Amino acid sequence: MLNYMQGLNNIIDPNLMAIIMPLSWAAAVSPTALSVFLIIMSMTDNPKLSGFSFYLGAVFVLLFTVLIGFLMGNALQNTGHADPTTIASIDMFLGAILVLLGLRSAFSKGNKRNSSLFEYLKIDKKASKFAQFRRYFTVGLLTFLINFSTAIFVLAAGRQIGIAKAGLWADIGAVAVLTIITLIVVEVPLFFFLVFPKTAQRVTQPMNHWLSKHTNLVMAAFLLFIGGLVIYNGLSRIGVT
């Protein structure tokens, strides 16, 4: 039992988890990813293949973003720049990007983008499973690649993992928790589509319709709020607020 607890402590670092968990939940709030995923699941004849393909594409981007953040954090720690002032400057810069993206989203038109997405998702029913996998994997990859609000929090989490230097297994545990929580917006509906397909279709159709119409405004509100929060946290690090 003692050996088991010691092994668990090697994988789960409480201090690192206390930092990773809030960032993971912040990254999980993604109306764009949910909207695209629901559109895919409403159009496909093979929800298992399309759902898992989309999910794997998202995982690929998430792990790549974590790696960039980890290298950044590791470099900051090794060069002695992991001080609050440097971290605060990075946070305020990222927060400003989120605010600008929020303002752009508030005044942009989404109809043309949605129609282009619908066209891209139309796959010939005779297409091979590999062709379908590649298409939905690409959609999942691109959806999370351009989802800057999620990417910034995942990047911040990777940075903190790199700074903490908690050890290999603790880093793996932190990345696993980050992945599961961040992608919960896909994992939960995917589970229901696989286990209760008819019920999931009936429940998610109104949500899909509403999100398709209001994605830009929802995303703008989210980006402005989160961007302001990131800037506020950055200012707090240097004692301005």
Side-chain angles (χ1 to χ4, degrees):
M1 184 65 178
L2 181 60
N3 290 334
Y4 173 79
M5 294 301 296
Q6 289 176 341
L8 190 62
N9 287 334
N10 289 334
I11 298 175
I12 300 177
D13 185 292
N15 295 326
L16 183 56
M17 286 297 174
I19 299 172
I20 295 301
M21 293 286 282
L23 292 171
S24 301
W25 284 111
V29 182
S30 178
T32 299
L34 178 60
S35 179
V36 173
F37 182 77
L38 292 179
I39 290 172
I40 287 175
M41 299 305 279
S42 66
M43 295 179 63
T44 183
D45 293 325
N46 191 341
K48 182 181 291 187
L49 175 63
S50 57
F52 276 112
S53 302
F54 181 91
Y55 181 72
L56 290 176
V59 170
F60 181 86
V61 173
L62 185 145
L63 294 179
F64 182 73
T65 307
V66 170
L67 177 61
I68 295 175
F70 177 85
L71 295 175
M72 180 192 302
N74 202 39
L76 288 172
Q77 184 73 350
N78 290 336
T79 57
H81 291 101
D83 56 280
T85 302
T86 302
I87 301 300
S89 300
I90 296 173
D91 285 345
M92 287 186 287
F93 175 73
L94 295 177
I97 292 177
L98 287 176
V99 170
L100 292 174
L101 290 173
L103 292 173
R104 188 187 71 171
S105 182
F107 295 101
S108 65
K109 301 291 184 181
N111 293 334
K112 183 177 179 181
R113 182 177 58 191
N114 288 337
S115 61
S116 299
L117 176 63
F118 274 110
E119 289 299 321
Y120 186 73
L121 292 176
K122 288 180 181 177
I123 299 178
D124 188 350
K125 293 183 179 180
K126 296 180 181 180
S128 66
K129 287 187 177 181
F130 177 75
Q132 295 179 49
F133 169 84
R134 183 177 58 190
R135 177 68 60 86
Y136 291 119
F137 178 89
T138 303
V139 172
L141 188 150
L142 293 176
T143 298
F144 278 83
L145 188 65
I146 64 174
N147 197 359
F148 294 105
S149 59
T150 293
I152 283 177
F153 283 107
V154 172
L155 190 70
R159 183 191 66 194
Q160 293 304 127
I161 294 172
I163 290 174
K165 291 192 173 182
L168 176 61
W169 290 110
D171 290 349
I172 292 174
V175 172
V177 169
L178 174 65
T179 302
I180 292 170
I181 295 177
T182 298
L183 298 181
I184 199 169
V185 70
V186 174
E187 293 159 352
V188 171
L190 177 59
F191 171 80
F192 280 103
F193 268 103
L194 296 180
V195 180
F196 311 107
K198 292 183 179 179
T199 303
Q201 189 78 21
R202 186 171 62 252
V203 171
T204 56
Q205 274 183 348
M207 186 186 302
N208 182 17
H209 181 70
W210 189 89
L211 281 173
S212 296
K213 282 190 171 183
H214 301 92
T215 297
N216 282 351
L217 292 178
V218 172
M219 199 63 191
F222 174 70
L223 288 170
L224 290 171
F225 173 77
I226 295 299
L229 183 61
V230 172
I231 292 173
Y232 177 81
N233 288 338
L235 294 173
S236 297
R237 287 180 184 274
I238 54 177
V240 174
T241 58

